[in-house]
Amino acid sequence: MKLSLLDFVPRLPGYSAEEALEQAIRLAREAEALGYHRYWTSEHHGMEGLASAAPEVLLSAIGAATRRIRLGSGAVLLPHYSPLKVAESFRLLSALYPGRVDLGIGRAPGGEAHVTMALSGNFLERVGRYPQLAKDLADLLADNYRYDDHPVIARPIPRLPLELWMLGTNVKSAGYAAELGTGYVFGQFMSDSNGAEILRSYREAFRPSVHLAKPSTILAVGLICAETEAHAKTLAAKTTEGFRDRGGAPFQWFAGTALQAREYLQDLQNQCRNDEFLIVSPIPDYEERLHSYRLLAELGI
């Protein structure tokens, strides 16, 4: 069972932004030592409790502090940006850290309305263009993009190509990923949709591309581990309360011991046939969060 992790880069009460970033680097180093496959970080804007506005900048620091773990975005919010700029930034990362870079893209706003408008103007108009923006990005990464019938190349061109992934929570995003021939990450922890059905729809509609020869799936799950089930549930309650106090989304967490977590993940994998798990564990305590990831890894999942 292949495990990776997604870090929101929380800035907890009493800690500075600098300390939050130090904790992100610490988590990535520990994850690499524990055998996690990927370290991904999210993109959010204007949120006091999160320090992750620019994944490509943080990933550059994470890459310098690690040696093997893959580095990725979960996700770059593409409607805000030029596909060329995104392709250039992540190709630069891929040249710095060959064979280690993942570009995950999504279409969420990543912040409240006024912050979103300050970032990129009319977000509703731009999100309506997401399918074309995603296609342009895929073409740029395949060196197959033209502007006014003139070829445009995203440079630098790394020796080893980066991996392109699409993140989503519904069948529409799965369809986009299948059509473009990218990997697909289903956000189980933030969706009430049936993950097994959505991943099946992606696999059935998948079109091979220069990015990916066959479908590849990751299930992103909220998971909180502790030595006892009671303590895990206490941590989950604190996590939910913290998100609610900050106006965050009502995410879904599984809370239990590492053994219970293994059974939970195995059941999910049997249902969804996913290739990998992306573990989200935003416990509002840096040491408890690290311990949760350690428990999972040390059980040999």
Short mmCIF file of all heavy atoms in Angstrom, two decimals, residues 183-217:
data_model
loop_
_atom_site.label_atom_id
_atom_site.label_comp_id
_atom_site.label_asym_id
_atom_site.label_seq_id
_atom_site.Cartn_x
_atom_site.Cartn_y
_atom_site.Cartn_z
N GLY A 183 -2.85 11.77 -14.45
CA GLY A 183 -3.24 11.06 -13.24
C GLY A 183 -4.39 11.79 -12.57
O GLY A 183 -4.63 12.98 -12.81
N TYR A 184 -5.14 11.06 -11.71
CA TYR A 184 -6.30 11.66 -11.05
C TYR A 184 -6.26 11.39 -9.56
O TYR A 184 -6.04 10.26 -9.12
CB TYR A 184 -7.60 11.12 -11.63
CG TYR A 184 -8.83 11.76 -11.01
CD1 TYR A 184 -9.05 13.13 -11.13
CD2 TYR A 184 -9.75 11.01 -10.28
CE1 TYR A 184 -10.16 13.73 -10.54
CE2 TYR A 184 -10.87 11.60 -9.71
CZ TYR A 184 -11.07 12.97 -9.84
OH TYR A 184 -12.15 13.57 -9.26
N VAL A 185 -6.50 12.46 -8.78
CA VAL A 185 -6.57 12.38 -7.32
C VAL A 185 -7.99 12.74 -6.90
O VAL A 185 -8.46 13.85 -7.17
CB VAL A 185 -5.58 13.34 -6.64
CG1 VAL A 185 -5.60 13.15 -5.13
CG2 VAL A 185 -4.17 13.14 -7.19
N PHE A 186 -8.66 11.80 -6.24
CA PHE A 186 -10.01 12.08 -5.75
C PHE A 186 -9.94 12.48 -4.28
O PHE A 186 -9.42 11.74 -3.44
CB PHE A 186 -10.92 10.86 -5.91
CG PHE A 186 -12.29 11.06 -5.33
CD1 PHE A 186 -13.16 11.98 -5.88
CD2 PHE A 186 -12.70 10.36 -4.20
CE1 PHE A 186 -14.42 12.19 -5.33
CE2 PHE A 186 -13.96 10.55 -3.65
CZ PHE A 186 -14.82 11.48 -4.22
N GLY A 187 -10.49 13.66 -3.96
CA GLY A 187 -10.46 14.18 -2.59
C GLY A 187 -11.59 13.59 -1.75
O GLY A 187 -12.58 14.27 -1.48
N GLN A 188 -11.39 12.37 -1.30
CA GLN A 188 -12.40 11.67 -0.50
C GLN A 188 -12.72 12.43 0.79
O GLN A 188 -13.88 12.46 1.23
CB GLN A 188 -11.90 10.27 -0.16
CG GLN A 188 -12.87 9.42 0.65
CD GLN A 188 -14.01 8.87 -0.19
OE1 GLN A 188 -13.77 8.06 -1.09
NE2 GLN A 188 -15.22 9.30 0.07
N PHE A 189 -11.71 13.07 1.39
CA PHE A 189 -11.91 13.73 2.68
C PHE A 189 -12.77 14.99 2.59
O PHE A 189 -13.22 15.50 3.61
CB PHE A 189 -10.55 14.06 3.32
CG PHE A 189 -9.81 15.19 2.65
CD1 PHE A 189 -9.86 16.48 3.17
CD2 PHE A 189 -9.06 14.97 1.51
CE1 PHE A 189 -9.18 17.51 2.56
CE2 PHE A 189 -8.36 15.99 0.90
CZ PHE A 189 -8.43 17.27 1.43
N MET A 190 -13.00 15.48 1.37
CA MET A 190 -13.80 16.69 1.22
C MET A 190 -14.96 16.50 0.25
O MET A 190 -15.45 17.47 -0.33
CB MET A 190 -12.92 17.85 0.78
CG MET A 190 -12.12 17.59 -0.47
SD MET A 190 -10.86 18.87 -0.79
CE MET A 190 -11.89 20.31 -1.02
N SER A 191 -15.42 15.25 0.11
CA SER A 191 -16.51 14.98 -0.82
C SER A 191 -17.44 13.91 -0.28
O SER A 191 -17.00 12.97 0.38
CB SER A 191 -15.93 14.50 -2.16
OG SER A 191 -16.96 14.13 -3.05
N ASP A 192 -18.72 14.06 -0.58
CA ASP A 192 -19.71 13.04 -0.24
C ASP A 192 -19.96 12.09 -1.41
O ASP A 192 -20.77 11.17 -1.31
CB ASP A 192 -21.05 13.70 0.16
CG ASP A 192 -20.94 14.47 1.46
OD1 ASP A 192 -20.20 14.01 2.35
OD2 ASP A 192 -21.60 15.53 1.58
N SER A 193 -19.28 12.31 -2.52
CA SER A 193 -19.46 11.46 -3.69
C SER A 193 -18.84 10.08 -3.46
O SER A 193 -17.98 9.90 -2.60
CB SER A 193 -18.83 12.11 -4.92
OG SER A 193 -19.42 13.36 -5.19
N ASN A 194 -19.29 9.13 -4.26
CA ASN A 194 -18.79 7.76 -4.16
C ASN A 194 -17.45 7.65 -4.88
O ASN A 194 -17.39 7.70 -6.11
CB ASN A 194 -19.81 6.80 -4.77
CG ASN A 194 -19.43 5.35 -4.58
OD1 ASN A 194 -18.35 4.93 -4.94
ND2 ASN A 194 -20.34 4.58 -3.98
N GLY A 195 -16.38 7.49 -4.11
CA GLY A 195 -15.05 7.44 -4.69
C GLY A 195 -14.85 6.29 -5.65
O GLY A 195 -14.20 6.44 -6.70
N ALA A 196 -15.42 5.13 -5.33
CA ALA A 196 -15.26 3.97 -6.20
C ALA A 196 -15.86 4.23 -7.58
O ALA A 196 -15.26 3.91 -8.61
CB ALA A 196 -15.90 2.74 -5.56
N GLU A 197 -17.05 4.84 -7.61
CA GLU A 197 -17.71 5.12 -8.89
C GLU A 197 -16.94 6.17 -9.70
O GLU A 197 -16.79 6.05 -10.92
CB GLU A 197 -19.14 5.60 -8.65
CG GLU A 197 -20.06 4.51 -8.11
CD GLU A 197 -21.48 5.02 -7.92
OE1 GLU A 197 -21.73 6.21 -8.25
OE2 GLU A 197 -22.32 4.24 -7.44
N ILE A 198 -16.43 7.18 -9.02
CA ILE A 198 -15.73 8.25 -9.72
C ILE A 198 -14.41 7.75 -10.29
O ILE A 198 -14.06 8.04 -11.44
CB ILE A 198 -15.53 9.46 -8.79
CG1 ILE A 198 -16.89 10.14 -8.56
CG2 ILE A 198 -14.53 10.44 -9.36
CD1 ILE A 198 -16.89 11.24 -7.56
N LEU A 199 -13.66 6.98 -9.51
CA LEU A 199 -12.40 6.44 -10.03
C LEU A 199 -12.65 5.45 -11.16
O LEU A 199 -11.87 5.38 -12.11
CB LEU A 199 -11.60 5.78 -8.90
CG LEU A 199 -11.06 6.72 -7.83
CD1 LEU A 199 -10.14 5.97 -6.87
CD2 LEU A 199 -10.32 7.91 -8.42
N ARG A 200 -13.75 4.70 -11.07
CA ARG A 200 -14.09 3.79 -12.16
C ARG A 200 -14.41 4.56 -13.44
O ARG A 200 -13.97 4.19 -14.54
CB ARG A 200 -15.26 2.89 -11.78
CG ARG A 200 -15.63 1.87 -12.87
CD ARG A 200 -16.66 0.87 -12.42
NE ARG A 200 -17.91 1.47 -12.02
CZ ARG A 200 -18.34 1.56 -10.76
NH1 ARG A 200 -17.60 1.08 -9.77
NH2 ARG A 200 -19.50 2.13 -10.47
N SER A 201 -15.13 5.66 -13.30
CA SER A 201 -15.47 6.46 -14.48
C SER A 201 -14.20 7.03 -15.12
O SER A 201 -14.10 7.11 -16.36
CB SER A 201 -16.43 7.60 -14.10
OG SER A 201 -15.78 8.62 -13.37
N TYR A 202 -13.25 7.42 -14.31
CA TYR A 202 -11.96 7.92 -14.83
C TYR A 202 -11.22 6.83 -15.59
O TYR A 202 -10.75 7.05 -16.72
CB TYR A 202 -11.12 8.45 -13.67
CG TYR A 202 -9.63 8.53 -13.96
CD1 TYR A 202 -9.10 9.54 -14.74
CD2 TYR A 202 -8.76 7.56 -13.43
CE1 TYR A 202 -7.73 9.61 -15.01
CE2 TYR A 202 -7.41 7.63 -13.69
CZ TYR A 202 -6.89 8.64 -14.47
OH TYR A 202 -5.54 8.69 -14.73
N ARG A 203 -11.13 5.65 -15.01
CA ARG A 203 -10.41 4.56 -15.66
C ARG A 203 -11.07 4.16 -16.98
O ARG A 203 -10.39 3.89 -17.98
CB ARG A 203 -10.32 3.36 -14.72
CG ARG A 203 -9.31 3.52 -13.60
CD ARG A 203 -9.11 2.22 -12.83
NE ARG A 203 -10.29 1.87 -12.06
CZ ARG A 203 -10.46 2.16 -10.76
NH1 ARG A 203 -9.51 2.82 -10.10
NH2 ARG A 203 -11.55 1.80 -10.12
N GLU A 204 -12.40 4.12 -16.99
CA GLU A 204 -13.11 3.71 -18.20
C GLU A 204 -12.97 4.72 -19.33
O GLU A 204 -12.95 4.35 -20.51
CB GLU A 204 -14.59 3.48 -17.88
CG GLU A 204 -14.84 2.25 -17.00
CD GLU A 204 -16.29 2.12 -16.59
OE1 GLU A 204 -17.07 3.08 -16.82
OE2 GLU A 204 -16.65 1.06 -16.02
N ALA A 205 -12.88 6.01 -19.00
CA ALA A 205 -12.82 7.06 -20.02
C ALA A 205 -11.39 7.46 -20.37
O ALA A 205 -11.19 8.27 -21.28
CB ALA A 205 -13.60 8.29 -19.54
N PHE A 206 -10.41 6.90 -19.69
CA PHE A 206 -9.02 7.35 -19.83
C PHE A 206 -8.50 7.20 -21.26
O PHE A 206 -8.69 6.17 -21.90
CB PHE A 206 -8.13 6.57 -18.88
CG PHE A 206 -6.68 6.99 -18.93
CD1 PHE A 206 -6.24 8.08 -18.22
CD2 PHE A 206 -5.76 6.29 -19.71
CE1 PHE A 206 -4.92 8.50 -18.28
CE2 PHE A 206 -4.44 6.69 -19.77
CZ PHE A 206 -4.01 7.79 -19.05
N ARG A 207 -7.83 8.25 -21.72
CA ARG A 207 -7.19 8.25 -23.03
C ARG A 207 -5.67 8.33 -22.82
O ARG A 207 -5.17 9.31 -22.25
CB ARG A 207 -7.63 9.44 -23.87
CG ARG A 207 -9.12 9.49 -24.18
CD ARG A 207 -9.44 10.73 -24.99
NE ARG A 207 -10.86 10.88 -25.25
CZ ARG A 207 -11.39 11.92 -25.88
NH1 ARG A 207 -10.59 12.90 -26.32
NH2 ARG A 207 -12.70 12.00 -26.09
N PRO A 208 -4.91 7.35 -23.26
CA PRO A 208 -3.45 7.42 -23.11
C PRO A 208 -2.89 8.68 -23.75
O PRO A 208 -3.40 9.17 -24.76
CB PRO A 208 -2.96 6.16 -23.84
CG PRO A 208 -4.14 5.23 -23.80
CD PRO A 208 -5.35 6.10 -23.91
N SER A 209 -1.83 9.22 -23.14
CA SER A 209 -1.25 10.47 -23.61
C SER A 209 0.26 10.42 -23.43
O SER A 209 0.80 9.45 -22.88
CB SER A 209 -1.82 11.65 -22.82
OG SER A 209 -1.30 11.64 -21.50
N VAL A 210 0.93 11.49 -23.85
CA VAL A 210 2.36 11.57 -23.61
C VAL A 210 2.67 11.70 -22.13
O VAL A 210 3.79 11.43 -21.69
CB VAL A 210 3.00 12.76 -24.37
CG1 VAL A 210 2.83 12.60 -25.86
CG2 VAL A 210 2.38 14.08 -23.91
N HIS A 211 1.67 12.09 -21.35
CA HIS A 211 1.87 12.24 -19.91
C HIS A 211 1.75 10.91 -19.17
O HIS A 211 2.43 10.68 -18.16
CB HIS A 211 0.84 13.23 -19.35
CG HIS A 211 0.87 14.56 -20.02
ND1 HIS A 211 1.92 15.44 -19.89
CD2 HIS A 211 -0.02 15.15 -20.87
CE1 HIS A 211 1.68 16.52 -20.61
NE2 HIS A 211 0.51 16.36 -21.22
N LEU A 212 0.87 10.04 -19.65
CA LEU A 212 0.57 8.81 -18.92
C LEU A 212 0.03 7.76 -19.89
O LEU A 212 -0.89 8.05 -20.66
CB LEU A 212 -0.49 9.12 -17.85
CG LEU A 212 -0.63 8.18 -16.66
CD1 LEU A 212 0.68 8.07 -15.87
CD2 LEU A 212 -1.75 8.66 -15.74
N ALA A 213 0.61 6.57 -19.84
CA ALA A 213 0.20 5.52 -20.77
C ALA A 213 -1.05 4.79 -20.30
O ALA A 213 -1.83 4.29 -21.10
CB ALA A 213 1.34 4.52 -20.95
N LYS A 214 -1.26 4.72 -18.99
CA LYS A 214 -2.43 4.05 -18.44
C LYS A 214 -2.92 4.81 -17.22
O LYS A 214 -2.15 5.56 -16.61
CB LYS A 214 -2.12 2.59 -18.09
CG LYS A 214 -1.01 2.41 -17.07
CD LYS A 214 -0.74 0.93 -16.84
CE LYS A 214 0.34 0.73 -15.77
NZ LYS A 214 0.60 -0.70 -15.51
N PRO A 215 -4.18 4.64 -16.83
CA PRO A 215 -4.72 5.44 -15.72
C PRO A 215 -3.99 5.20 -14.41
O PRO A 215 -3.54 4.08 -14.12
CB PRO A 215 -6.18 4.98 -15.64
CG PRO A 215 -6.25 3.69 -16.38
CD PRO A 215 -5.19 3.73 -17.41
N SER A 216 -3.86 6.26 -13.62
CA SER A 216 -3.20 6.18 -12.32
C SER A 216 -4.03 6.99 -11.32
O SER A 216 -4.39 8.14 -11.61
CB SER A 216 -1.78 6.74 -12.41
OG SER A 216 -1.08 6.55 -11.20
N THR A 217 -4.33 6.40 -10.18
CA THR A 217 -5.27 7.02 -9.25
C THR A 217 -4.71 7.12 -7.84
O THR A 217 -4.02 6.22 -7.36
CB THR A 217 -6.58 6.22 -9.18
OG1 THR A 217 -6.29 4.87 -8.82
CG2 THR A 217 -7.29 6.24 -10.52
#
